[in-house]
Amino acid sequence: MASPLPLLGFEWEGKIIHQIRFDSSENLSEVDLFRLVGVRPGDRYRTRVIREGIDRLYRTGNFKDVWVEVAPLEGENVSVQFMLVEKRLLSSIHVSGNFIISKKNILEAMRFQPGEEFTEARWEKALSDLAALYHREGYFQAAFSPQFKRRPERPREVEVFLDIHEGNQARIRNISFRGSVIFSPLTLAFKMRSQKREYYQFKILEEDMKRLESFYEEKGYLKAIIGPPESSFIEKTNEVDILIPVEPFNRIEIFFEGGELFPRKKLASLLFIKETRSDEEGILEESARQIEAFYLGEGYPFAKVTVSSRRFPEENRMEARFTIGSGYRTRIKKFEFPGAQSFPSKRLREIVLLQKEGLFAKSRYTEDRLQEDAEALLQFYKKEGFRSARVSPEIQFDSRRKFATIFFKINEGVRTRIDGIEIRGNQALAESRLRDPLEIHPESPYYEGAVKEGARRILGVYAREGYIHADVKLSISFSEDQTSAGIAYDITEGKQVRLGRIRLEGNLRTRDYVLLREMLIHEGDPYDLEKILKSQQRLYRTGLFPIARFEPVHPEERPSVQDVTLIVTERPRIAVEFGVGYADYERLRGFFEMTHKNLWGTGRQISARAEGSRVDEKYTLNYKEPRFFGWNVDARLGAAYIIERRESFDLETSSGTGGFDKSFSDTLKGSFLYQYERNRVTDVDPTARLAPEDLADVNIVSIASLNPSLIRDTRDDPFNPRSGSVNGVTFRDAAKMMGSEIQFVKTTAQTSWYFSPAPRLVLAFSGRFGAAQRFGETKSIPISGDTQLVPIPERFFLGGRSTVRGYDQDKLGVQGVTLVDGKPSGGNAMLIFNEELRIFLPKSFGLVFFFDHGNVWLGHEDIAFSQIKSTAGTGLRYNTPVGPLRLDWGYKLNREAAESAWALHFTLGHAF
């Protein structure tokens, strides 16, 4: 940086500086310059002081170069001139003329940021990088015309205006190959996306190199060096010739003898040859051991694999032959437990995971599984108090080594029980509070794990009371015959720690009280780590924060009052979602939704959604008020406008909803809503059974109702459950006193259960029931028609992809009653049962076999099991993060003469 100082020679040392001059500086005033150099006229010349002044000028960052020129004057006087070469900085780059490549990509390619020093060399490098970007995209004739401007108010800054003439994209004139190509150029060209007369793109060409490498690997070459491609641009015709170097090495041909039990592709995937790109003898042997291990894992304990190889140097290839002797797959005939006296064989068999061969159970014996079962039996005995138990597994094969008997030889030893439990040293907490959470008690079997867990549970009780530094020491004494054990927990309580200040960080938009209301901890409470973690979980459940964590302040100091800091990161407040889909009934459908998740930083939410399809249009507006008036309930308001085109009628609904939602636990949720809606029914099919409201001259009916509901959901995955259940009940009570023109009560209940008997199987069962009943009088509507039926929009309709899948949408009913001439009328009661066997296949696919049963009746008193219709079918699934895409085919098992034999359904999500 600083220039050498031949002009700062010591010959001027001590002379008087008569005059100081500066080269013009566009950024610093003369006052600033004198302050920086640290000398004034009249001072004596000191080389050290001048050097320090130059350093201070450099450190301002304004100067590219600084040096000093000294000239003698009369007598002992000298003149000093500071020569200043100021840096120029890039202010901004304005791009125009670009149509193919975005401004963002252009600036990223140039890698020249505002504020960096602007030099000619740096600018040329930026243009070179930009030209390389255009060349990669095939624009070899791209030209760049820059203009540089400097503003008077900012003289050091350079503003660049870059005009780009992109030209035309070059085409590929010819593609050729060089080296030991082996295959014909036509064969290689067929593997490439880049083709003659196509536009040149380097990104596609790079992908082509990888495709060629994969092609050579597929043909048995362990290694193939492809590229880098050489491109020659012909300016006259705006074309490119491409030359691709190709050099393959070490071709290997793999043969499997005796491996018919499994596909060749599967066996080839086990080889280390491609992974290591080596054909050495050691790699071949390791591959043979890998295949052997695979057969052992598939239940072939006598499998042996050998490998032989033969090289053909003149052809640059080698043959490797794997000979597989699989032997029989072991079928387990029975299990025996010699030495077991305390437990029956049936109880011990429940612990063993290996299966006995049967009609529906296929055993897969492996040595590892045998050892795992032996360990499981040993742990069972230890939990039952047999401290010195021993389990030795053995297997005996028949003469053909096809069937096997598994022996688990058991030496139980002495059983130890707990004689007594002492808790000592507790002063702050009563002994009863410490004994309650213990899983052990006198006379229970002694198990070391449960005894140690008792110490942790005692610490947990203390931790909830703020004794976070408490300590528990465990001592155990055994009787001489080892049949009993005395347990003692010695407690050192330490000081109680209380919660101090709660500091909040990261909530830039969210108000403090929104975070504080979710907390189960308050200043002055015992420092309870469990409540702190639950508070953290509650913050996550608000959906406002992807990160929320508590951190103690200076925990190493062990204070009696512990401050904590809550650090959060906020999610974006506004979310926009949209999508399109297809289903068999709606055909093409789509939606658009916009949500503000944190209105004014209060956690309030508002959302607007529009969706539509061939059969319906829905427009909804919803508002959510969390923690209504500080209560542990959420209030919500909603408005909706819906148009539905059903099989037997058209419906136009305008509605408003208000009420409360409450989570009683992680699995139990409830709601209580008031709903007011105006229904306009048109195009009612003349064959449908009609309620009085359906016969009115003006089919507009107001319905006001209270709608309580309760749902318990223990599923492990709401989109694709493998275990758990979902159970719910919903009531709808419409009455005059709430503003309704008609009066009825409606109940819907559902229960669905999921079990996984094997890793790739799920059994799913569901039952649904619904009933509606009119009561009282109907306001201002003449009594005619069927006075027991509720209005047609409130009735139950069955048939379709989520009810009984052998029938088309809404086309299930009792002939002549709720289904007349193929037109559904719906009914006041319905019943559905579903059973499914879900099989998970590789590559996210799945297969389903199902039975569906159900029907719709005029009223609950008309329900007859003899009228239930049943269908059976199968379906194909493709699993996605939001549930499976499904295609179901259902066949009617007890169809009537006028009914079709089957129905096909396509949609997203499980039927239940």
Side-chain angles (χ1 to χ4, degrees), residues 269-448:
S269 69
L270 302 171
L271 304 179
F272 287 120
I273 297 170
K274 290 185 178 180
E275 182 180 336
T276 59
R277 296 184 179 272
S278 172
D279 56 5
E280 295 178 359
E281 295 298 327
I283 297 299
L284 296 176
E285 284 294 335
E286 189 64 27
S287 297
R289 302 288 74 75
Q290 185 72 5
I291 296 173
E292 195 173 280
F294 169 73
Y295 270 84
L296 295 175
E298 292 295 321
Y300 295 85
F302 303 105
K304 294 295 179 184
V305 180
T306 59
V307 60
S308 60
S309 60
R310 183 183 178 189
R311 296 184 182 275
F312 301 88
E314 66 282 358
E315 299 178 21
N316 189 26
R317 72 180 181 92
M318 161 186 167
E319 291 180 358
R321 199 171 299 274
F322 292 89
T323 304
I324 302 171
S326 63
Y328 287 113
R329 181 173 62 82
T330 297
R331 289 171 167 79
I332 299 175
K333 194 173 183 180
K334 62 179 178 177
F335 293 89
E336 293 189 7
F337 303 90
Q341 299 176 354
S342 302
F343 304 99
S345 295
K346 182 180 179 181
R347 176 70 184 93
L348 300 178
R349 180 67 187 87
E350 292 173 353
I351 301 168
V352 175
L353 295 179
L354 282 169
Q355 295 184 5
K356 182 179 176 181
E357 186 82 14
L359 183 61
F360 299 104
K362 297 296 182 183
S363 63
R364 185 172 293 180
Y365 164 79
T366 68
E367 181 65 25
D368 289 343
R369 292 186 184 184
L370 183 65
Q371 295 300 328
E372 289 170 4
D373 283 343
E375 181 62 26
L377 286 169
L378 180 60
Q379 290 302 316
F380 167 76
Y381 268 92
K382 288 189 173 182
K383 288 180 180 179
E384 292 295 330
F386 295 89
R387 298 170 53 231
S388 58
R390 298 290 181 270
V391 178
S392 303
E394 290 185 6
I395 182 168
Q396 289 184 4
F397 297 94
D398 65 351
S399 57
R400 299 176 62 196
R401 298 204 284 189
K402 191 173 183 179
F403 292 94
T405 300
I406 304 290
F407 295 89
F408 291 101
K409 295 182 178 180
I410 298 172
N411 181 358
E412 293 182 340
V414 177
R415 190 175 197 177
T416 306
R417 294 187 179 274
I418 295 175
D419 184 38
I421 302 172
E422 288 188 79
I423 297 178
R424 303 186 292 232
N426 57 303
Q427 296 179 354
L429 301 181
E431 184 173 324
S432 59
R433 283 198 61 187
L434 303 177
R435 284 186 179 272
D436 287 344
L438 296 180
E439 292 183 338
I440 58 175
H441 53 81
E443 297 304 317
S444 64
Y446 171 84
Y447 175 52
E448 184 179 4

Side-chain angles (χ1 to χ4, degrees), residues 510-565:
T510 307
R511 299 183 185 182
D512 290 354
Y513 78 84
V514 175
L515 281 72
L516 294 173
R517 72 187 179 192
E518 299 297 331
M519 295 186 194
L520 300 173
I521 55 175
H522 306 88
E523 294 184 10
D525 289 351
Y527 188 84
D528 186 345
L529 287 173
E530 185 175 329
K531 284 187 176 180
I532 289 175
L533 289 175
K534 287 183 177 179
S535 299
Q536 191 169 292
Q537 292 169 359
R538 287 165 63 115
L539 287 165
Y540 279 122
R541 281 200 292 266
T542 65
L544 301 176
F545 313 104
I547 297 176
R549 69 178 186 275
F550 288 90
E551 292 187 356
V553 179
H554 305 303
E556 67 281 355
E557 298 176 2
R558 292 199 171 195
S560 58
V561 177
Q562 177 66 66
D563 296 340
V564 296
T565 301

Side-chain angles (χ1 to χ4, degrees), residues 146-162:
Q147 290 185 352
F148 309 102
K149 292 185 179 180
R150 300 173 70 179
R151 296 182 180 179
E153 65 274 16
R154 294 183 178 177
R156 291 180 59 232
E157 295 185 358
V158 178
E159 193 172 11
V160 180
F161 294 84
L162 179 62

